[in-house]
Amino acid sequence: LDALAEELKTSRGVDDDEASRSARAFLERAAGDVQVLVERGAGQWGFQHLTFQEFFVAAGLHSREEFEKAARKHLADPRWEEILRLGVWYLALVQKRPEAARRLIDRLLDKPPRLRPAWVVDVLRKHIPLATLAATEAGDALDVPRQRKVAATFTEWWRAVPSAVSERFLRELSLSDLRDVIAAELQPDVASSDPSRRVMAAGALGLLRPSTAMGTLSVLLHDSNATVRAAAVASMGQLRDPAAAEPLTAALQDPEPPVRVAAAAAIRTGSFEGALPALRETLNDRDVSVRGEAAATLAALRPHDAWDAF
């Protein structure tokens, strides 16, 4: 109460009584109504929500000029992920130190800390995806050459890890400006002679959802490999772009059953009701798995129509 009242007097110029009343009203509302700031014990108050705690940890470390040391120490710790991201944002956009933010990102990527166990960095290289997420918070401080460097480093890591490991990070990066830069780094994989790399690239594009995804996936829909076509179809459904309805409808006629199954599922994923007439025809498909997927999609999107069709 004393600290809040003193701040009110300094910043707003109110008298002692008004400052005390306002401070008490704030604490009562913060603790009782919205439960942002709550009493944790005698004379102890804390923030109920983790986001507030993470923000003030980042701000406090910056105020003591200890953020980089802490960032390097906890770079591979997922519990510190939001603190690292908030810390880079705070450095670049609140303290307005873009050059410092650029140096920090460079050091996190180029000179990973020696952590224990060592395989966390040496084998899993967990610092790379976390440093990439932190870099997305730098705003305009992340110039084009560094964007490309971060994207290239992340893409190299993505190629080396199972898709189940990289999926979460790709989804996070889909919300950032880096998604198109990373998509450009995927072009060698899209054009690779190795079908497994083309499958991986198709899956990554569906998660990243860059502006170029529709065009690239449309090309992969004509790939000679059925597994690649199926992956492209599945990713096209994840885009939820109305323009995907037509190519997905065409994919229901693919000669390979796994592609037709993927197309029926993708229509459900993207809620493409314009493709439902063609999907009803698919109930007569010669392959039982295709008929089953078509029925599941009809039941999910138009249950009454599905009942009539059955």
Side-chain angles (χ1 to χ4, degrees):
L1 285 172
D2 290 342
L4 288 169
E6 188 61 35
E7 176 62 25
L8 286 169
K9 288 189 291 184
T10 302
S11 63
R12 298 190 180 183
V14 299
D15 60 32
D16 291 348
D17 291 341
E18 177 61 25
S20 296
R21 284 195 300 271
S22 296
R24 187 173 295 279
F26 170 79
L27 280 182
E28 288 175 352
R29 183 170 184 187
D33 297 341
V34 295
Q35 293 189 337
V36 172
L37 188 64
V38 295
E39 194 168 12
R40 297 189 179 277
Q44 293 185 337
W45 289 74
F47 290 98
Q48 178 78 359
H49 300 289
L50 185 60
T51 301
F52 283 97
Q53 298 176 34
E54 291 166 335
F55 170 78
F56 284 112
V57 167
L61 288 169
H62 274 304
S63 70
R64 290 153 50 184
E65 298 186 355
E66 294 179 359
F67 178 77
E68 181 173 345
K69 178 181 177 182
R72 291 178 63 80
K73 179 180 178 181
H74 298 286
L75 187 55
D77 186 345
R79 294 175 300 176
W80 277 69
E81 179 180 318
E82 288 301 318
I83 298 171
L84 298 179
R85 296 178 69 168
L86 285 166
V88 171
W89 168 83
Y90 193 88
L91 181 63
L93 302 179
V94 177
Q95 293 188 332
K96 300 191 183 303
R97 299 169 58 197
E99 185 56 41
R102 288 192 285 268
R103 287 197 303 269
L104 174 60
I105 292 167
D106 286 343
R107 285 194 286 265
L108 292 179
L109 283 174
D110 297 339
K111 298 178 181 179
R114 303 307 304 171
L115 301 176
R116 292 186 180 181
W119 52 263
V120 170
V121 170
D122 297 340
V123 179
L124 299 182
R125 297 188 294 168
K126 289 182 68 174
H127 64 287
I128 291 177
L130 293 176
T132 302
L133 290 181
T136 64
E137 307 293 340
D140 293 339
L142 197 66
D143 52 64
V144 173
R146 278 184 176 81
Q147 288 181 7
R148 292 173 179 164
K149 174 185 175 181
V150 170
T153 305
F154 175 83
T155 306
E156 180 187 1
W157 172 83
W158 163 81
R159 291 188 182 109
V161 301
S163 58
V165 175
S166 62
E167 180 177 331
R168 179 180 77 87
F169 297 101
L170 289 167
R171 290 188 187 279
E172 288 278 351
L173 290 166
S174 73
L175 305 174
S176 76
D177 293 338
L178 274 180
R179 64 180 187 173
D180 286 329
V181 189
I182 295 173
E185 294 290 333
L186 292 174
Q187 287 309 304
D189 302 273
V190 172
S192 172
S193 60
D194 183 350
S196 64
R197 286 185 64 182
R198 301 199 299 277
V199 168
M200 284 183 61
L205 289 170
L207 296 169
L208 273 176
R209 296 183 295 174
S211 58
T212 58
M214 271 296 296
T216 305
L217 291 173
S218 295
V219 172
L220 291 175
L221 283 180
H222 301 285
D223 196 276
S224 60
N225 185 286
T227 305
V228 176
R229 296 199 303 275
V233 163
S235 288
M236 195 169 279
Q238 292 187 66
L239 299 180
R240 301 180 183 274
D241 186 335
E246 184 175 345
L248 289 179
T249 300
L252 291 172
Q253 303 300 319
D254 192 276
E256 296 297 330
V259 182
R260 301 198 299 276
V261 168
I267 290 169
R268 181 169 70 249
T269 300
S271 299
F272 298 117
E273 295 198 3
L276 292 184
L279 197 66
R280 293 189 192 95
E281 297 296 324
T282 308
L283 291 174
N284 298 315
D285 194 278
R286 61 186 178 276
D287 188 277
V288 64
S289 60
V290 178
R291 297 197 301 270
E293 200 65 49
T297 296
L298 280 172
L301 298 183
R302 288 283 187 86
H304 295 297
D305 288 3
W307 179 260
D308 293 341
F310 299 150

